[in-house]
Amino acid sequence: MLKLRLKRFGRKKLACYRIVIMESTSRRDGKPIKEVGLYNPITDHIKLNTEEILVALKNGVKPTKTVFNLLVKSNILEGKA
C-alpha cells in the first residue's frame, strides 16, 4: 500500500521533513517513489506540490495522520486538523 508520509533529513535536533510517496512497509528514510513536498517544523514552513498530491490521493494513496493534518492546514483537504 502506498502512503504519503514524512521522510526525515537535516541535522541532529534540527530536523526537516520531505513529504514523499512511499510503500508503507519500507523504512522511514528509504528510497521514495516521489517527493511531493517539504515541511520544516522549526520555522513552520510548508511547501507542497498540490497537483501531484491531488493526483496521488485520487489514485488511492493514503496520507498518514501527520501529513493529513499538514494538508488540512494548507487548505488542500477538508477535515479536522
Side-chain angles (χ1 to χ4, degrees):
M1 170 187 243
L2 294 177
K3 290 207 169 210
L4 260 173
R5 65 187 212 187
L6 298 176
K7 178 179 174 181
R8 184 187 165 133
F9 73 103
R11 290 192 332 202
K12 182 177 177 181
K13 297 188 181 182
L14 291 174
C16 290
Y17 297 92
R18 289 188 173 109
I19 300 169
V20 296
I21 300 171
M22 293 180 84
E23 186 65 36
S24 63
T25 58
S26 64
R27 300 179 336 187
R28 178 193 70 188
D29 295 334
K31 186 175 180 182
I33 296 171
K34 187 178 274 191
E35 293 182 5
V36 293
L38 182 74
Y39 171 56
N40 186 346
I42 297 167
T43 61
D44 204 34
H45 175 73
I46 304 170
K47 181 179 178 184
L48 300 170
N49 187 339
T50 55
E51 294 172 3
E52 289 186 12
I53 290 173
L54 292 174
V55 168
L57 291 172
K58 287 180 184 176
N59 289 333
V61 176
K62 302 278 184 189
T64 60
K65 290 180 184 178
T66 306
V67 173
F68 178 80
N69 289 337
L70 290 173
L71 295 176
V72 170
K73 188 175 180 180
S74 299
N75 295 322
I76 294 174
L77 292 178
E78 293 180 8
K80 288 189 175 181

